[in-house]
Amino acid sequence: MLLGQLPIHAGAAPVEVHLPRSRFPVAISFESPDTWAIAERIGEQLVSHGRLAYRTGRFVVRTAAGTTRYGHSWQGAVTQHLLRRG
């Protein structure tokens, strides 16, 4: 699993990253082991985009609309998710 910059423990500060092809910075917050909250920072506001989870060797993004499986890169999963909903 390629965690890279993801926060990996309770109490960790959210990590803000700039992903390729993303219009705004993305904030990733630890929620529980293998689950993170995804939000875009638009100005001073954080706009929620669901949950990133690591399941059965791949990253998935869960939203009210359902769960989408992606690959082994959390950056790729979040980028693809943001492009799909755009």
Side-chain angles (χ1 to χ4, degrees), residues 5-29:
Q5 301 170 311
L6 287 176
I8 57 171
H9 58 80
V15 172
E16 198 164 289
V17 295
H18 295 272
L19 297 173
R21 302 183 307 192
S22 178
R23 294 179 291 190
F24 302 101
V26 176
I28 307 289
S29 303

Side-chain angles (χ1 to χ4, degrees), residues 1-2 6 17-19 24 29 36 44 48 53 58 67 72 86:
M1 168 173 37
L2 302 173
L6 287 176
V17 295
H18 295 272
L19 297 173
F24 302 101
S29 303
W36 299 266
E44 294 299 315
S48 178
R58 293 182 180 261
T67 300
H72 303 285

